[in-house]
Amino acid sequence: MTSTRRLHRLRAGLALGAVGALTATGAAQAAPAPAATEASRVAAVTADDRAAARARLDDRLEELTAAGAVGAVAHSRGATGRAWNGSAGVRTIDAARPARPGDTARVASVTKAMVAVLALQEVDRQRWTLETTVDDVWPGLLPGHGDVTLEQLLSHRSGLPDYLVPLLGDAQTGTELVDVLTRDRTDRQLVRAGLSQPWLFEPGTSFSYSNTNYVVVGLMLQRATHRSVASLLQQRVFRPAGMRDARFPTTGRTFAGPAHLGDYAVLERPYLLDGTSSSVFSSAGAVVASAADIGSFYRSLMAGRLVSKRSLAQMLTPGTTGPLAYGLGVYRATDPCPDASGQPGTLYGHDGASFGTITLVFTSADGTRQASVAFGGRQYTADAPTLPAANQVLVDALVSTCPRPVPPAAAQRSLVELDRLSAGLDTRAEALPEALTAR
């Protein structure tokens, strides 16, 4: 889940953490060498780096919990089919039960790619097009702006304000935050909260990340199919993608049993948010899944098992290049692993930030490699140490799955790309009231 303004530093820290990780795995090896031996030197060093990265992934997860995460899980899988699954820390502070690799977590905005898949399946069935408007499906849902298109919603180019800002506006303490988040809401209430604010721009003219966009898409799906989003995800996404532990709760219990990472918002002290109503996230971020589940989702997506080749290409094509190269439910980043021609590789994926968890998942452009990490214990500070630690896990996992050497120059290019991305993340930070984040 993401929104605007106050905590832009949090997401900026997240991207800068990735930059630090890339520096550690690549650029630090870039000392000058004689031209005649440069290729062999890079190959030898980076081959060692790949082997060392896989060997130390468990240690990296321990470093993540040492940095403040309560519990963490991670997953990676390469072209050979070999998978690594790791965990560190505990599920909850009080019970001190160790986290396990298969534990689930709120994956928040990682949900968006899955909901985008449902929408594009309607396009593949020729029931919708990307130019289908909100009024075509649900007249009057967005008064005065019924001409907003499906593509504009999925790409965050609608101008629709984020509902999180007014939803959380009354909370002044951590206890009040817990109270606000435990109340059930309907999707219509979330949309009305978004519409209580001025529209940000004319639809299609700019980019602004807004969770309300995906709540509207969820309502459109329900109206068009006469089925719940939970049912659609189970049949059309979770099952075909082999996501064995994935769920889409909206009311009632969020977690089906104890095998999950506890949601902790770390303010002046840790606040357990397991009781947060998933209706607060809805189609913008309510999915609960394991790290392996979300890796399986991206593997199935890129293999063409969820949408047509045409729809996949539309998902991956950015509708904007700033502040994010954002397509339809996914965004693009630079892979530390070069492609077969030695050129910079491309990653596709998404981050997810619930109020107490952070999740990251990326896949290679050819769909053969995935890496994901999730942790509970979200810190609301400008220099949260968990963020670079999580990125270190992610980047080491990506390097460990690369089938070829990772040259320092490739890591440097990733460094530059992530540095650029971090400069625009103020539009996607969690919107907590200032009283909660001020020290």
Side-chain angles (χ1 to χ4, degrees):
M1 298 294 290
T2 42
S3 186
T4 55
R5 297 184 64 84
R6 171 61 182 159
L7 293 183
H8 68 277
R9 296 172 301 176
L10 178 67
R11 287 293 181 77
L14 181 61
L16 289 172
V19 167
L22 288 166
T23 302
T25 57
Q29 304 289 339
T37 61
E38 179 67 13
S40 59
R41 184 194 68 81
V42 169
V45 169
T46 53
D48 289 344
D49 282 349
R50 290 202 312 277
R54 179 173 285 276
R56 66 175 178 258
L57 283 172
D58 289 318
D59 291 338
R60 293 303 192 193
L61 276 177
E62 294 292 345
E63 291 172 8
L64 175 53
T65 57
V70 176
V73 294
H75 166 82
S76 68
R77 188 176 189 271
T80 63
R82 291 184 58 192
W84 168 81
N85 295 282
S87 63
V90 295
R91 293 168 176 166
T92 58
I93 293 172
D94 295 337
R97 294 174 178 168
R100 299 300 184 194
D103 286 355
T104 60
R106 296 187 202 272
V107 299
S109 287
V110 173
T111 301
K112 288 182 171 68
M114 303 173 199
V115 172
V117 162
L118 295 179
L120 288 166
Q121 288 172 346
E122 293 300 296
V123 173
D124 288 341
R125 289 168 169 79
Q126 300 185 342
R127 297 168 181 166
W128 291 353
T129 72
L130 287 178
E131 298 307 310
T132 295
T133 68
V134 175
D135 271 356
D136 287 337
V137 181
W138 194 317
L141 181 60
L142 300 180
H145 288 84
D147 58 347
V148 166
T149 68
L150 178 64
E151 186 276 333
Q152 290 165 352
L153 293 168
L154 294 176
S155 64
H156 297 292
R157 299 189 310 114
S158 71
L160 184 55
D162 201 310
Y163 66 81
L164 282 176
V165 177
L167 194 73
L168 303 177
D170 293 335
Q172 296 297 310
T173 67
T175 301
E176 289 175 354
L177 172 67
V178 172
D179 180 62
V180 167
L181 294 178
T182 54
R183 301 175 201 162
D184 286 339
R185 273 90 170 179
T186 66
D187 286 355
R188 295 294 303 277
Q189 287 176 318
L190 299 182
V191 173
R192 282 195 290 270
L195 293 175
S196 69
Q197 308 161 95
W199 281 70
L200 302 174
F201 48 79
E202 283 298 310
T205 63
S206 189
F207 172 92
S208 183
Y209 192 97
S210 173
N211 292 295
T212 318
N213 288 320
Y214 277 75
V215 176
V216 171
V217 173
L219 285 167
M220 291 169 65
L221 284 164
Q222 292 177 81
R223 174 64 65 93
T225 65
H226 306 288
R227 296 176 58 190
S228 68
V229 173
S231 173
L232 293 171
L233 284 170
Q234 183 62 42
Q235 181 181 7
R236 296 187 184 181
V237 176
F238 299 161
R239 193 173 300 158
M243 300 170 68
R244 295 180 298 178
D245 299 309
R247 301 174 62 240
F248 182 80
T250 51
T251 58
R253 295 181 61 190
T254 294
F255 301 105
H260 69 272
L261 299 183
D263 263 20
Y264 284 95
V266 182
L267 301 168
E268 78 279 4
R269 65 174 177 83
Y271 286 85
L272 181 61
L273 303 179
D274 277 10
T276 296
S277 173
S278 291
S279 67
V280 172
F281 307 118
S282 188
S283 298
V287 167
V288 172
S290 67
D293 279 335
I294 57 178
S296 294
F297 165 74
Y298 272 97
R299 188 160 56 253
S300 295
L301 174 66
M302 302 301 282
R305 293 195 289 269
L306 301 179
V307 296
S308 68
K309 184 177 180 180
R310 174 185 172 86
S311 288
L312 178 60
Q314 290 169 326
M315 283 188 74
L316 301 182
T317 301
T320 179
T321 57
L324 288 172
Y326 203 98
L328 307 180
V330 299
Y331 64 82
R332 189 172 65 190
T334 301
D335 193 346
C337 177
D339 65 21
S341 67
Q343 296 303 305
T346 301
L347 297 172
Y348 296 97
H350 214 290
D351 58 279
S354 78
F355 297 100
T357 58
I358 297 287
T359 304
L360 288 163
V361 57
F362 284 102
T363 183
S364 59
D366 63 5
T368 62
R369 302 163 44 247
Q370 294 79 36
S372 55
V373 59
F375 68 89
R378 184 177 178 185
Q379 300 167 334
Y380 289 89
T381 60
D383 55 351
T386 48
L387 300 173
N391 279 278
Q392 184 73 70
V393 175
L394 185 74
V395 173
D396 280 358
L398 288 166
V399 169
S400 75
T401 63
C402 186
R404 57 189 63 88
V406 180
Q412 181 64 25
R413 283 190 290 266
S414 294
L415 174 78
V416 172
E417 170 75 3
L418 289 173
D419 191 39
R420 183 185 67 79
L421 291 177
S422 70
L425 294 182
D426 58 326
T427 62
R428 305 190 307 115
E430 199 77 83
L432 281 189
E434 186 168 347
L436 288 170
T437 58
R439 288 295 190 266

